[in-house]
Amino acid sequence: MPYILISTQIRLETGPTMVGDEYSDPSIMNYLGARKTTMLGNNFSEYHVDEPPRLVLDKLDKIGFRVVSMTGVGQTLVWCLYKETSNTL
């Protein structure tokens, strides 16, 4: 999976940070130390870490992910990261 979205609430810039959904690569989620949670009333799961986004971005940089874009949506900050993969046909 070459793309990852991470996000946090503006008022919670020091964490927690949402780092993935139920389809995220388990090895990356394990590397980040993420825990899988399902909020009451939701029919999907998310992975969260207690660290602020800056530390998550640093960790993802170390394994080859690069920020493609960043935006604010309402009270949420969102980063999209991409990792080059070697595709051989």
Side-chain angles (χ1 to χ4, degrees):
M1 294 183 184
Y3 286 96
I4 289 184
L5 289 176
I6 71 166
S7 65
T8 193
Q9 298 296 307
I10 289 175
R11 67 187 189 288
L12 301 174
E13 291 169 336
T14 59
T17 303
M18 194 282 288
V19 295
D21 61 19
E22 58 197 339
Y23 305 108
S24 296
D25 184 332
S27 63
I28 296 172
M29 297 301 108
N30 187 51
Y31 168 74
L32 294 173
R35 65 190 178 286
K36 190 176 183 181
T37 59
T38 304
M39 301 295 263
L40 184 63
N42 289 348
N43 62 352
F44 58 90
S45 299
E46 297 175 323
Y47 282 95
H48 293 87
V49 296
D50 290 328
E51 289 93 3
R54 184 185 59 80
L55 294 181
V56 174
L57 292 168
D58 287 346
K59 286 182 179 180
L60 291 169
D61 176 71
K62 288 179 183 176
I63 59 170
F65 282 91
R66 300 292 177 255
V67 173
V68 176
S69 64
M70 185 273 179
T71 190
V73 181
Q75 295 294 308
T76 304
L77 300 173
V78 182
W79 292 262
C80 177
L81 295 92
Y82 181 78
K83 181 177 182 177
E84 290 288 334
T85 58
S86 57
N87 293 330
T88 307
L89 296 176

